[in-house]
């Protein structure tokens, strides 16, 4: 079973010294789940690129900081 997901929230708390700005931050990813015949979850793997998400929290490329 494979599914695409989106998580979001407002940047309202300090992150490693970076002050919040109230902006909505979102990230996208894909997950692959193995289930049994009763559709009980056996294993799950998540794939996503955190760079855009972290860049919004840090004001740019997280590697550059």
């Amino acid at each position: 079973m494979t599914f695409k997901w989106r998580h979001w929230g407002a940047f309202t708390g300090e992150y490693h010294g970076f002050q919040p700005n109230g902006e909505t931050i979102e990230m996208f990813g894909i997950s692959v789940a193995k289930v049994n015949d009763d559709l009980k979850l056996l294993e799950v793997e998540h794939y996503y690129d955190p760079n855009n998400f972290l860049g919004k929290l840090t004001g740019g490329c997280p590697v550059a900081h």
Side-chain angles (χ1 to χ4, degrees), residues 8-57:
W8 68 95
F11 182 18
T12 59
E14 182 180 322
Y15 175 75
H16 291 273
F18 293 92
Q19 297 305 308
N21 59 13
E23 180 180 353
T24 297
I25 308 292
E26 61 184 355
M27 65 185 302
F28 300 88
I30 294 175
S31 296
V32 178
K34 284 186 180 180
V35 297
N36 66 15
D37 291 337
D38 296 325
L39 297 180
K40 289 184 181 178
L41 186 63
L42 301 174
E43 182 180 324
V44 65
E45 295 178 359
H46 306 287
Y47 300 94
Y48 62 96
D49 180 0
N51 292 320
N52 188 41
F53 171 75
L54 292 173
K56 297 245 177 155
L57 295 177

